[in-house]
Amino acid sequence: MGLFGKIIAKITGSADASAADWDELKTALLAADLGPELSNEVVAAARSVRAGSATEAITKALTSSLCNESREISRSISGPTVLLIVGVNGTGKTTSAAKLAAALASDDSTVLLAAADTFRAAAVDQLRTWGERLDIDVVHGADNADPASVAFDAAQQVIARNMDYLIIDTAGRLHTKNDLMAELGKVKRVVEKILPVQEVLLVIDATTGQNGLTQAKIFTESVDVTGIIVTKLDGSARGGIALAIERSLGIPIKWVGTGESVNDFARFDPAAYIQALL
């Protein structure tokens, strides 16, 4: 049992938990990146019930902070479904694009990847390597090609080949740079000249803490994020940022990455997530 679980067990098993015990719980919640507002609500919920019901009250408070939006990938009514993968460098964005492609392909769907992170040659090479490993085609351009041009070419190909999904890996935008965020918006607009973008999935590194919430807010303002992929959710206590994002923005976590393997990627299960957090 981790530190977080031990603190809850102490409070649950005692009818007279001390102020220090409650402070310890709040500190643990803050360390788990739930943020001060949600942490205060969880402590208040636990203190309002009998000691033996504290765990249930905490679980209920955490569950209620999750949004009620669908966690399924939104499919196009007709034609290919286009998914735009966005996020800052270092979050596991390109790897997540490849893993998502593999997950969708495992359901007997046809998937095309687009390497539109043209500002970083390593990202194009990385996605092409993943494509070869997974036997999934990757559309790419020349070095430093226009990202919107690569995305548009991929959209044309996915239509011509009558495929089910197009997943576009975009450049790792620095969320503080307005010009780069505008370029990301351009990619979306260009693709939508011939195909609607059904999902804009933002990749967040669970270990970045409250900075992940800031990223989510700014990306949402720029490209209307519809879902979150949380990476590096490896069982450590610092995965609370998922709760903070959902509670603050109402954007559903749809997929989570827990490791480097292609199989370390799964649909987000709220109940299992909260149980692991506790």
CSV table of all heavy atoms in Angstrom, one decimal, residues 139-187:
chain,number,residue,atom,x,y,z
A,139,VAL,N,2.0,8.7,-44.0
A,139,VAL,CA,2.2,9.7,-45.0
A,139,VAL,C,3.2,10.7,-44.5
A,139,VAL,O,3.0,11.2,-43.3
A,139,VAL,CB,0.9,10.4,-45.4
A,139,VAL,CG1,1.1,11.5,-46.4
A,139,VAL,CG2,-0.1,9.3,-46.0
A,140,HIS,N,4.2,11.1,-45.2
A,140,HIS,CA,5.1,12.1,-44.7
A,140,HIS,C,5.6,13.0,-45.9
A,140,HIS,O,5.4,12.6,-47.1
A,140,HIS,CB,6.3,11.5,-44.1
A,140,HIS,CG,7.1,10.5,-45.0
A,140,HIS,ND1,8.2,11.0,-45.7
A,140,HIS,CD2,6.9,9.2,-45.2
A,140,HIS,CE1,8.6,10.0,-46.4
A,140,HIS,NE2,7.9,8.9,-46.1
A,141,GLY,N,6.2,14.1,-45.6
A,141,GLY,CA,6.7,14.9,-46.7
A,141,GLY,C,8.3,15.0,-46.6
A,141,GLY,O,8.9,14.3,-45.8
A,142,ALA,N,8.8,16.0,-47.3
A,142,ALA,CA,10.2,16.2,-47.2
A,142,ALA,C,10.6,16.9,-45.9
A,142,ALA,O,9.7,17.4,-45.2
A,142,ALA,CB,10.7,17.1,-48.4
A,143,ASP,N,11.9,17.0,-45.6
A,143,ASP,CA,12.3,17.7,-44.4
A,143,ASP,C,11.7,19.1,-44.4
A,143,ASP,O,11.8,19.8,-45.4
A,143,ASP,CB,13.8,17.7,-44.3
A,143,ASP,CG,14.4,16.4,-44.0
A,143,ASP,OD1,13.6,15.5,-43.6
A,143,ASP,OD2,15.6,16.2,-44.2
A,144,ASN,N,11.2,19.6,-43.3
A,144,ASN,CA,10.7,20.9,-43.1
A,144,ASN,C,9.5,21.2,-44.0
A,144,ASN,O,9.3,22.4,-44.4
A,144,ASN,CB,11.8,22.0,-43.3
A,144,ASN,CG,12.9,21.8,-42.2
A,144,ASN,OD1,12.5,21.7,-41.0
A,144,ASN,ND2,14.1,21.9,-42.6
A,145,ALA,N,8.8,20.2,-44.5
A,145,ALA,CA,7.6,20.4,-45.3
A,145,ALA,C,6.6,21.1,-44.5
A,145,ALA,O,6.6,21.1,-43.3
A,145,ALA,CB,7.1,19.1,-45.9
A,146,ASP,N,5.6,21.8,-45.2
A,146,ASP,CA,4.5,22.5,-44.6
A,146,ASP,C,3.6,21.4,-43.9
A,146,ASP,O,3.1,20.5,-44.6
A,146,ASP,CB,3.7,23.3,-45.6
A,146,ASP,CG,2.5,24.0,-45.0
A,146,ASP,OD1,2.6,24.3,-43.8
A,146,ASP,OD2,1.6,24.2,-45.8
A,147,PRO,N,3.4,21.5,-42.6
A,147,PRO,CA,2.6,20.5,-41.9
A,147,PRO,C,1.2,20.4,-42.4
A,147,PRO,O,0.7,19.3,-42.6
A,147,PRO,CB,2.6,21.0,-40.4
A,147,PRO,CG,3.8,21.9,-40.3
A,147,PRO,CD,4.0,22.5,-41.7
A,148,ALA,N,0.6,21.5,-42.8
A,148,ALA,CA,-0.7,21.5,-43.3
A,148,ALA,C,-0.8,20.8,-44.7
A,148,ALA,O,-1.7,20.1,-45.0
A,148,ALA,CB,-1.3,23.0,-43.5
A,149,SER,N,0.3,20.9,-45.5
A,149,SER,CA,0.4,20.3,-46.7
A,149,SER,C,0.4,18.7,-46.6
A,149,SER,O,-0.3,18.0,-47.3
A,149,SER,CB,1.6,20.7,-47.5
A,149,SER,OG,1.7,20.0,-48.7
A,150,VAL,N,1.2,18.3,-45.6
A,150,VAL,CA,1.3,16.8,-45.3
A,150,VAL,C,0.0,16.3,-44.8
A,150,VAL,O,-0.5,15.3,-45.3
A,150,VAL,CB,2.4,16.6,-44.2
A,150,VAL,CG1,2.4,15.1,-43.8
A,150,VAL,CG2,3.8,17.0,-44.8
A,151,ALA,N,-0.7,17.1,-44.0
A,151,ALA,CA,-2.0,16.6,-43.4
A,151,ALA,C,-3.0,16.6,-44.6
A,151,ALA,O,-3.9,15.7,-44.6
A,151,ALA,CB,-2.5,17.6,-42.3
A,152,PHE,N,-3.0,17.6,-45.5
A,152,PHE,CA,-4.0,17.6,-46.6
A,152,PHE,C,-3.7,16.4,-47.5
A,152,PHE,O,-4.7,15.8,-48.0
A,152,PHE,CB,-3.8,18.9,-47.3
A,152,PHE,CG,-4.8,19.1,-48.4
A,152,PHE,CD1,-6.1,19.5,-48.1
A,152,PHE,CD2,-4.5,18.9,-49.8
A,152,PHE,CE1,-7.1,19.7,-49.1
A,152,PHE,CE2,-5.5,19.1,-50.7
A,152,PHE,CZ,-6.8,19.5,-50.4
A,153,ASP,N,-2.5,16.1,-47.8
A,153,ASP,CA,-2.1,15.0,-48.6
A,153,ASP,C,-2.6,13.7,-48.0
A,153,ASP,O,-3.2,12.8,-48.7
A,153,ASP,CB,-0.6,14.9,-48.8
A,153,ASP,CG,-0.2,13.8,-49.7
A,153,ASP,OD1,-1.0,13.3,-50.6
A,153,ASP,OD2,1.0,13.3,-49.6
A,154,ALA,N,-2.5,13.6,-46.7
A,154,ALA,CA,-2.9,12.4,-46.0
A,154,ALA,C,-4.5,12.2,-46.1
A,154,ALA,O,-5.0,11.1,-46.3
A,154,ALA,CB,-2.5,12.4,-44.6
A,155,ALA,N,-5.1,13.4,-46.0
A,155,ALA,CA,-6.6,13.4,-46.0
A,155,ALA,C,-7.1,12.9,-47.4
A,155,ALA,O,-8.0,12.2,-47.5
A,155,ALA,CB,-7.1,14.8,-45.7
A,156,GLN,N,-6.4,13.4,-48.4
A,156,GLN,CA,-6.7,12.9,-49.8
A,156,GLN,C,-6.5,11.4,-50.0
A,156,GLN,O,-7.3,10.7,-50.6
A,156,GLN,CB,-5.9,13.7,-50.8
A,156,GLN,CG,-6.3,15.2,-51.0
A,156,GLN,CD,-5.4,15.9,-52.0
A,156,GLN,OE1,-4.2,15.7,-52.0
A,156,GLN,NE2,-6.1,16.6,-52.9
A,157,GLN,N,-5.4,10.9,-49.4
A,157,GLN,CA,-5.1,9.5,-49.5
A,157,GLN,C,-6.1,8.6,-48.8
A,157,GLN,O,-6.5,7.6,-49.2
A,157,GLN,CB,-3.7,9.2,-49.0
A,157,GLN,CG,-2.6,9.7,-49.9
A,157,GLN,CD,-1.3,9.1,-49.6
A,157,GLN,OE1,-1.2,7.9,-49.3
A,157,GLN,NE2,-0.2,9.9,-49.7
A,158,VAL,N,-6.5,9.1,-47.6
A,158,VAL,CA,-7.4,8.2,-46.8
A,158,VAL,C,-8.8,8.1,-47.5
A,158,VAL,O,-9.5,7.1,-47.4
A,158,VAL,CB,-7.5,8.8,-45.3
A,158,VAL,CG1,-8.5,9.9,-45.2
A,158,VAL,CG2,-7.9,7.7,-44.4
A,159,ILE,N,-9.2,9.2,-48.2
A,159,ILE,CA,-10.4,9.1,-49.0
A,159,ILE,C,-10.3,8.2,-50.1
A,159,ILE,O,-11.1,7.3,-50.4
A,159,ILE,CB,-10.8,10.6,-49.4
A,159,ILE,CG1,-11.2,11.5,-48.2
A,159,ILE,CG2,-12.0,10.5,-50.4
A,159,ILE,CD1,-11.4,12.9,-48.6
A,160,ALA,N,-9.2,8.4,-50.9
A,160,ALA,CA,-9.0,7.6,-52.1
A,160,ALA,C,-8.8,6.1,-51.8
A,160,ALA,O,-9.3,5.3,-52.6
A,160,ALA,CB,-7.7,8.1,-52.8
A,161,ARG,N,-8.3,5.8,-50.7
A,161,ARG,CA,-8.1,4.4,-50.3
A,161,ARG,C,-9.3,3.8,-49.5
A,161,ARG,O,-9.2,2.7,-49.0
A,161,ARG,CB,-6.8,4.3,-49.5
A,161,ARG,CG,-5.6,4.6,-50.4
A,161,ARG,CD,-4.3,4.8,-49.6
A,161,ARG,NE,-3.8,3.6,-48.9
A,161,ARG,CZ,-2.7,3.5,-48.3
A,161,ARG,NH1,-1.9,4.6,-48.2
A,161,ARG,NH2,-2.3,2.4,-47.7
A,162,ASN,N,-10.2,4.7,-49.2
A,162,ASN,CA,-11.5,4.3,-48.5
A,162,ASN,C,-11.1,3.6,-47.2
A,162,ASN,O,-11.6,2.5,-46.8
A,162,ASN,CB,-12.3,3.3,-49.4
A,162,ASN,CG,-13.7,3.1,-48.9
A,162,ASN,OD1,-14.3,4.0,-48.2
A,162,ASN,ND2,-14.2,1.9,-49.1
A,163,MET,N,-10.3,4.3,-46.4
A,163,MET,CA,-9.9,3.8,-45.1
A,163,MET,C,-10.7,4.3,-44.0
A,163,MET,O,-11.5,5.3,-44.2
A,163,MET,CB,-8.4,4.1,-44.9
A,163,MET,CG,-7.5,3.6,-45.9
A,163,MET,SD,-5.7,4.0,-45.7
A,163,MET,CE,-5.3,2.8,-44.4
A,164,ASP,N,-10.6,3.7,-42.8
A,164,ASP,CA,-11.5,4.1,-41.7
A,164,ASP,C,-11.0,5.3,-40.9
A,164,ASP,O,-11.8,6.1,-40.5
A,164,ASP,CB,-11.7,2.9,-40.7
A,164,ASP,CG,-12.3,1.7,-41.4
A,164,ASP,OD1,-13.3,1.9,-42.1
A,164,ASP,OD2,-11.8,0.5,-41.2
A,165,TYR,N,-9.7,5.3,-40.6
A,165,TYR,CA,-9.2,6.4,-39.8
A,165,TYR,C,-8.0,7.1,-40.4
A,165,TYR,O,-7.1,6.4,-41.0
A,165,TYR,CB,-8.8,5.8,-38.4
A,165,TYR,CG,-9.9,5.3,-37.5
A,165,TYR,CD1,-10.3,4.0,-37.5
A,165,TYR,CD2,-10.6,6.2,-36.7
A,165,TYR,CE1,-11.3,3.5,-36.7
A,165,TYR,CE2,-11.6,5.8,-35.8
A,165,TYR,CZ,-11.9,4.4,-35.8
A,165,TYR,OH,-12.9,4.0,-35.0
A,166,LEU,N,-7.9,8.4,-40.1
A,166,LEU,CA,-6.6,9.1,-40.4
A,166,LEU,C,-6.2,9.7,-39.0
A,166,LEU,O,-7.0,10.5,-38.4
A,166,LEU,CB,-6.8,10.2,-41.4
A,166,LEU,CG,-5.7,11.2,-41.6
A,166,LEU,CD1,-4.4,10.5,-42.0
A,166,LEU,CD2,-6.1,12.3,-42.5
A,167,ILE,N,-5.0,9.4,-38.6
A,167,ILE,CA,-4.4,10.0,-37.3
A,167,ILE,C,-3.3,10.9,-37.7
A,167,ILE,O,-2.3,10.4,-38.3
A,167,ILE,CB,-4.0,8.9,-36.4
A,167,ILE,CG1,-5.2,8.0,-36.0
A,167,ILE,CG2,-3.4,9.5,-35.1
A,167,ILE,CD1,-4.8,6.8,-35.1
A,168,ILE,N,-3.4,12.2,-37.4
A,168,ILE,CA,-2.4,13.2,-37.8
A,168,ILE,C,-1.6,13.6,-36.5
A,168,ILE,O,-2.1,14.1,-35.6
A,168,ILE,CB,-3.1,14.4,-38.4
A,168,ILE,CG1,-3.9,14.0,-39.6
A,168,ILE,CG2,-2.0,15.4,-38.8
A,168,ILE,CD1,-4.8,15.2,-40.1
A,169,ASP,N,-0.3,13.3,-36.6
A,169,ASP,CA,0.6,13.7,-35.5
A,169,ASP,C,1.1,15.1,-35.9
A,169,ASP,O,1.8,15.3,-36.9
A,169,ASP,CB,1.8,12.7,-35.4
A,169,ASP,CG,2.8,13.1,-34.4
A,169,ASP,OD1,2.4,13.6,-33.3
A,169,ASP,OD2,4.0,12.8,-34.6
A,170,THR,N,0.8,16.0,-35.0
A,170,THR,CA,1.3,17.4,-35.3
A,170,THR,C,2.5,17.8,-34.5
A,170,THR,O,2.9,17.0,-33.6
A,170,THR,CB,0.1,18.4,-34.9
A,170,THR,OG1,-0.1,18.3,-33.5
A,170,THR,CG2,-1.1,18.1,-35.6
A,171,ALA,N,3.1,18.9,-34.8
A,171,ALA,CA,4.3,19.4,-34.2
A,171,ALA,C,4.0,19.6,-32.7
A,171,ALA,O,2.9,20.0,-32.3
A,171,ALA,CB,4.8,20.6,-34.8
A,172,GLY,N,5.0,19.4,-31.8
A,172,GLY,CA,4.9,19.6,-30.4
A,172,GLY,C,4.9,21.1,-30.1
A,172,GLY,O,5.9,21.7,-29.9
A,173,ARG,N,3.7,21.6,-30.1
A,173,ARG,CA,3.6,23.1,-29.9
A,173,ARG,C,4.0,23.5,-28.5
A,173,ARG,O,3.6,23.0,-27.5
A,173,ARG,CB,2.1,23.5,-30.2
A,173,ARG,CG,1.6,23.0,-31.5
A,173,ARG,CD,2.3,23.7,-32.6
A,173,ARG,NE,2.0,23.1,-33.9
A,173,ARG,CZ,2.5,23.5,-35.1
A,173,ARG,NH1,3.4,24.5,-35.1
A,173,ARG,NH2,2.2,22.9,-36.2
A,174,LEU,N,4.7,24.6,-28.5
A,174,LEU,CA,5.0,25.3,-27.2
A,174,LEU,C,3.8,26.1,-26.9
A,174,LEU,O,3.5,27.1,-27.7
A,174,LEU,CB,6.2,26.2,-27.3
A,174,LEU,CG,7.5,25.4,-27.6
A,174,LEU,CD1,8.7,26.4,-27.8
A,174,LEU,CD2,7.9,24.5,-26.4
A,175,HIS,N,3.0,25.8,-25.9
A,175,HIS,CA,1.7,26.4,-25.7
A,175,HIS,C,1.8,27.9,-25.4
A,175,HIS,O,0.8,28.6,-25.3
A,175,HIS,CB,0.9,25.7,-24.6
A,175,HIS,CG,1.6,25.7,-23.3
A,175,HIS,ND1,2.6,24.9,-22.9
A,175,HIS,CD2,1.4,26.5,-22.2
A,175,HIS,CE1,3.0,25.2,-21.7
A,175,HIS,NE2,2.2,26.2,-21.2
A,176,THR,N,3.0,28.4,-25.1
A,176,THR,CA,3.2,29.8,-24.9
A,176,THR,C,3.5,30.6,-26.1
A,176,THR,O,3.6,31.8,-26.1
A,176,THR,CB,4.3,30.1,-23.9
A,176,THR,OG1,5.5,29.4,-24.4
A,176,THR,CG2,4.0,29.5,-22.5
A,177,LYS,N,3.6,29.9,-27.3
A,177,LYS,CA,3.9,30.6,-28.5
A,177,LYS,C,2.7,30.7,-29.4
A,177,LYS,O,2.2,29.8,-30.0
A,177,LYS,CB,5.0,29.8,-29.3
A,177,LYS,CG,6.3,29.6,-28.5
A,177,LYS,CD,7.0,30.9,-28.2
A,177,LYS,CE,8.4,30.7,-27.5
A,177,LYS,NZ,9.1,31.9,-27.3
A,178,ASN,N,2.2,31.9,-29.5
A,178,ASN,CA,0.9,32.2,-30.3
A,178,ASN,C,1.1,31.8,-31.7
A,178,ASN,O,0.1,31.3,-32.3
A,178,ASN,CB,0.5,33.6,-30.1
A,178,ASN,CG,0.1,34.0,-28.7
A,178,ASN,OD1,-0.4,33.1,-28.0
A,178,ASN,ND2,0.2,35.2,-28.3
A,179,ASP,N,2.2,32.1,-32.4
A,179,ASP,CA,2.4,31.8,-33.8
A,179,ASP,C,2.3,30.3,-34.1
A,179,ASP,O,1.7,29.8,-35.0
A,179,ASP,CB,3.7,32.4,-34.3
A,179,ASP,CG,4.9,32.0,-33.6
A,179,ASP,OD1,4.7,31.5,-32.4
A,179,ASP,OD2,6.0,32.0,-34.1
A,180,LEU,N,2.9,29.5,-33.2
A,180,LEU,CA,2.9,28.0,-33.3
A,180,LEU,C,1.5,27.5,-33.1
A,180,LEU,O,1.0,26.6,-33.8
A,180,LEU,CB,3.9,27.4,-32.4
A,180,LEU,CG,5.3,27.7,-32.7
A,180,LEU,CD1,6.2,26.9,-31.7
A,180,LEU,CD2,5.7,27.3,-34.1
A,181,MET,N,0.7,28.0,-32.2
A,181,MET,CA,-0.6,27.6,-31.9
A,181,MET,C,-1.5,28.0,-33.1
A,181,MET,O,-2.4,27.2,-33.5
A,181,MET,CB,-1.2,28.3,-30.7
A,181,MET,CG,-0.5,27.8,-29.4
A,181,MET,SD,-0.6,26.1,-29.1
A,181,MET,CE,-2.3,25.9,-28.7
A,182,ALA,N,-1.2,29.1,-33.8
A,182,ALA,CA,-2.0,29.5,-35.0
A,182,ALA,C,-1.7,28.5,-36.1
A,182,ALA,O,-2.6,28.2,-36.9
A,182,ALA,CB,-1.6,30.9,-35.4
A,183,GLU,N,-0.5,28.1,-36.2
A,183,GLU,CA,-0.1,27.1,-37.2
A,183,GLU,C,-0.9,25.8,-37.0
A,183,GLU,O,-1.3,25.1,-38.0
A,183,GLU,CB,1.4,26.8,-37.2
A,183,GLU,CG,1.9,25.7,-38.2
A,183,GLU,CD,1.7,26.1,-39.6
A,183,GLU,OE1,1.7,27.3,-39.9
A,183,GLU,OE2,1.5,25.2,-40.4
A,184,LEU,N,-1.1,25.4,-35.8
A,184,LEU,CA,-1.8,24.2,-35.5
A,184,LEU,C,-3.3,24.4,-35.9
A,184,LEU,O,-3.9,23.4,-36.5
A,184,LEU,CB,-1.8,23.9,-34.0
A,184,LEU,CG,-2.4,22.6,-33.5
A,184,LEU,CD1,-1.8,21.4,-34.2
A,184,LEU,CD2,-2.3,22.5,-32.0
A,185,GLY,N,-3.8,25.5,-35.7
A,185,GLY,CA,-5.2,25.8,-36.2
A,185,GLY,C,-5.3,25.8,-37.7
A,185,GLY,O,-6.3,25.3,-38.3
A,186,LYS,N,-4.2,26.2,-38.4
A,186,LYS,CA,-4.2,26.1,-39.8
A,186,LYS,C,-4.2,24.7,-40.3
A,186,LYS,O,-4.9,24.4,-41.3
A,186,LYS,CB,-2.9,26.8,-40.3
A,186,LYS,CG,-2.7,26.7,-41.8
A,186,LYS,CD,-1.3,27.2,-42.2
A,186,LYS,CE,-1.0,27.0,-43.7
A,186,LYS,NZ,0.3,27.4,-44.1
A,187,VAL,N,-3.5,23.8,-39.7
A,187,VAL,CA,-3.5,22.4,-40.1
A,187,VAL,C,-5.0,21.9,-40.0
A,187,VAL,O,-5.5,21.2,-40.9
A,187,VAL,CB,-2.6,21.5,-39.1
A,187,VAL,CG1,-2.9,20.0,-39.4
A,187,VAL,CG2,-1.2,21.9,-39.4
